[in-house]
Amino acid sequence: MATTISAVPGCTRRTPKKRRGHRALAWGALGMAMALSATACGSFSGSSGKRVTVTWFVGLGTGADHGQPEQEQKVVDAFNASQNQITLKLDVVAHGSAQNTLDTRLSGDDAPDIVGPVGADGAQLFDGQWLDLAPLVKSEGFDTSIYSKVQMDAAKDQAGAQTALPFGEQPSFIWYNKELFDRAKLRYPPQKFGAKYADGRPWDMDTLRDLAKKLTIDANGNDATSPEFDPSKVVQWGFDPQYLEETPQGNGSLFGAGSYVAEDHETAQIPKPWLAEWKWYYDMIWKDHSAPDYQQLWSDTLNKGNAFGSGKVAMAFTDTGYLSDLTDGAGKARTFWNIAANPSWNGKITDRTSSETFRITKASKHPEEAFKVLTYFLTTAAPDLLKTYNALPANKALQTDRIKSLNRTWTQGVDWQVALDALKHSDGPRAGEWMPKYNKSALLTYKFGHRLLYQPGLDIDFEAANLRLLLQAVFSAQPVT
């Protein structure tokens, strides 16, 4: 029998074999030929037999924050109403307990079928437990030509398995407070990648640091370039790597791509761009006083970590996921900001891009049905989910509508082309990629990042060398001698 559906970007329209010579699609145990788009790309109908339950686990990444579960449930309801063979069940767990909960469920007989959205960091916590989707992509005819090779490669694990398909991209760039720039009578940062700043100065890390000092103000109104500046009474800061402060691989990627692991997958290393950024950022905290330290960052003044959102930080570096924190207590969008291009370092521009993906567990009892749900997320449900997670579509065909949606919320005339252009400079390898014994290794890097933020007077070269030794000990499972 034929089923009529509307075409959706990323879906391969299927027709019965007798009509166009395409092979019929076997759908699980039903074994019946059906005309479907690439699985759950649209409404479909079939046998009225008992539904298979597919569980969607949310919380390992974003998705459990205020207001998000309600939007996810709407997607679940729409999917369940669109067909009569699969019952999709939403299981939302608070982010703080999601890792332990998922670990317990994967170790038992209660594994969820789909996990997501999840970024690289979260995915690495369960490396080796995600299903390789390549066979299902082939058997179900899902069209991956809508994605670039870079996007597809970024969704593979370290062994080369296609454990995810591209969904949402969250590029990072410079966010700036227009009001603070206007008050200081300073030109805004450039919005074209590779463009120069005012007076022909290169838009590089030195220029950003100089701007940050001019935009750092003490209680007496002196900026950080003034001899009268009092670093003990800062009330406005020039720069903060928003939510990346204690993630050295995250803020380090502003200077360039890298990995803690050498190409042999065994040797620990410290990427040169990251080391350079750590020194630069550390000096901004403890020498220039233009970036908040740990105590300042988590003070009421800086909204307990939401520094840029406090309105008292002139520039930030973070990704589009931050949009969810640019609303007031009533949920109204705050419009004091715009976005600008990343500065260069050593003549090169790098963007820290985070990818939000959905993954099927190897322990899933219903992988074919789970894949139908996953492709529904990537196509029919994508506009709603991308809005929920503040991500840009990996599928370029969906980007125009996504920008229109953003403009309906943030009405100040944000130059969203900056975000799209940032994707052309995506870091590779990406900052959250695989490390041996990921849990222990990642914890070492976070402790290192916290120390830089908390303790003045450190020798960063020495601290970085020590971090490498500690990582190598974990990689090798041997104590440092």
Side-chain angles (χ1 to χ4, degrees):
M1 72 187 244
T3 302
T4 302
I5 62 171
S6 59
V8 180
C11 301
T12 302
R13 182 178 293 278
R14 291 184 176 273
T15 54
K17 183 177 180 180
K18 65 181 181 180
R19 292 185 60 189
R20 290 197 182 180
H22 292 190
R23 64 176 176 81
L25 176 63
W27 195 4
L30 297 176
M32 59 187 297
M34 301 184 67
L36 294 174
S37 78
T39 62
C41 295
S43 299
F44 51 87
S45 61
S47 168
S48 58
K50 185 177 179 181
R51 289 178 179 243
V52 170
T53 298
V54 170
T55 303
W56 172 21
F57 183 95
V58 174
L60 190 60
T62 188
D65 295 336
H66 177 71
Q68 290 181 324
E70 291 82 357
Q71 298 305 312
E72 290 157 343
Q73 186 60 51
K74 290 180 181 179
V75 169
V76 169
D77 294 341
F79 175 80
N80 288 337
S82 73
Q83 44 76 52
N84 60 7
Q85 296 175 340
I86 301 171
T87 296
L88 180 59
K89 178 183 175 183
L90 179 64
D91 185 1
V92 179
V93 178
H95 180 72
S97 58
Q99 180 181 343
N100 288 338
T101 300
L102 182 57
D103 186 52
T104 299
R105 291 182 60 178
L106 288 173
S107 301
D109 192 39
D110 188 28
D113 301 285
I114 296 175
V115 176
V118 59
D121 285 352
Q124 299 305 335
L125 295 173
F126 295 92
D127 181 50
Q129 301 194 57
W130 307 119
L131 186 69
D132 184 357
L133 302 180
L136 286 167
V137 167
K138 183 177 181 180
S139 65
E140 302 292 346
F142 185 77
D143 180 15
T144 60
S145 68
I146 58 175
Y147 308 120
S148 69
K149 183 179 184 301
V150 172
Q151 290 173 320
M152 290 293 287
D153 287 347
K156 293 179 180 178
D157 67 12
Q158 45 86 18
Q162 193 74 55
T163 52
L165 294 173
F167 167 68
E169 302 278 39
Q170 293 184 331
S172 302
F173 33 77
I174 300 301
W175 306 62
Y176 65 93
N177 185 315
K178 296 184 295 182
E179 296 172 2
L180 300 187
F181 269 81
D182 291 344
R183 192 178 303 160
K185 298 181 180 179
L186 291 170
R187 294 275 298 275
Y188 300 150
Q191 295 177 305
K192 298 292 184 182
F193 282 77
K196 294 184 181 298
Y197 184 60
D199 301 323
R201 283 196 67 179
W203 180 232
D204 59 16
M205 299 304 166
D206 290 336
T207 300
L208 187 151
R209 184 173 173 179
D210 288 345
L211 266 181
K213 286 189 284 188
K214 294 177 182 178
L215 289 159
T216 299
I217 309 296
D218 67 15
N220 297 316
N222 301 307
D223 70 43
T225 67
S226 169
E228 287 77 33
F229 175 73
D230 186 347
S232 68
K233 296 181 179 180
V234 180
V235 296
Q236 175 184 305
W237 290 260
F239 176 76
D240 181 62
Q242 182 68 55
Y243 295 155
L244 300 172
E245 298 93 350
E246 295 181 84
T247 312
Q249 56 268 36
N251 59 54
S253 63
L254 179 58
F255 273 44
S259 172
Y260 287 117
V261 192
E263 292 183 1
D264 63 7
H265 286 187
E266 297 177 357
T267 304
Q269 63 181 11
I270 302 297
K272 290 182 180 180
W274 295 2
L275 179 58
E277 194 278 341
W278 298 342
K279 293 178 180 179
W280 176 85
Y281 176 40
Y282 190 76
D283 281 347
M284 292 181 77
I285 298 171
W286 300 109
K287 182 178 179 181
D288 302 345
H289 306 283
S290 60
D293 63 29
Y294 183 84
Q295 291 183 331
Q296 293 167 336
L297 182 66
W298 290 100
S299 67
D300 291 335
T301 300
L302 290 182
N303 204 16
K304 295 191 179 300
N306 186 4
F308 185 74
S310 71
K312 296 173 183 178
V313 171
M315 294 178 288
F317 172 66
T318 195
D319 62 44
T320 55
Y322 180 61
L323 287 167
S324 60
D325 285 335
L326 282 174
T327 56
D328 61 20
K332 182 180 179 181
R334 305 188 68 191
T335 58
F336 62 81
W337 56 274
N338 206 329
I339 58 179
N342 293 345
S344 63
W345 179 73
N346 279 355
K348 185 176 181 180
I349 300 171
T350 305
D351 170 66
R352 174 190 173 275
T353 302
S354 298
S355 295
E356 297 292 345
T357 60
F358 298 95
R359 296 166 187 261
I360 298 175
T361 63
K362 283 184 178 179
S364 169
K365 297 176 182 177
H366 307 290
E368 291 85 3
E369 290 83 358
F371 188 76
K372 297 180 189 300
V373 176
L374 186 150
T375 53
Y376 181 86
F377 290 171
L378 300 183
T379 55
T380 303
D384 291 329
L385 290 174
L386 289 163
K387 182 177 180 179
T388 299
Y389 307 136
N390 287 311
L392 296 178
N395 181 355
K396 290 183 179 180
L398 302 177
Q399 288 180 352
T400 298
D401 286 343
R402 178 70 185 117
I403 296 303
K404 290 179 180 178
S405 174
L406 290 168
N407 282 330
R408 286 193 290 270
T409 301
W410 287 277
T411 58
Q412 70 268 36
V414 178
D415 188 350
W416 296 111
Q417 189 61 44
V418 171
L420 298 178
D421 289 345
L423 292 171
K424 301 174 184 177
H425 301 272
S426 293
D427 53 338
R430 293 190 172 176
E433 288 195 350
W434 175 84
M435 289 186 286
K437 302 177 180 63
Y438 190 85
N439 278 343
K440 292 183 178 179
S441 300
L443 181 59
L444 287 175
T445 69
Y446 295 138
K447 287 182 176 179
F448 172 83
H450 175 78
R451 192 164 183 212
L452 300 191
L453 195 64
Y454 193 86
Q455 187 171 340
L458 296 177
D459 181 333
I460 305 303
D461 285 312
F462 174 83
E463 298 295 332
N466 189 55
L467 173 62
R468 189 195 67 78
L469 289 175
L470 293 171
L471 287 171
Q472 189 63 65
V474 172
F475 292 179
S476 306
Q478 295 176 354
V480 177
T481 58

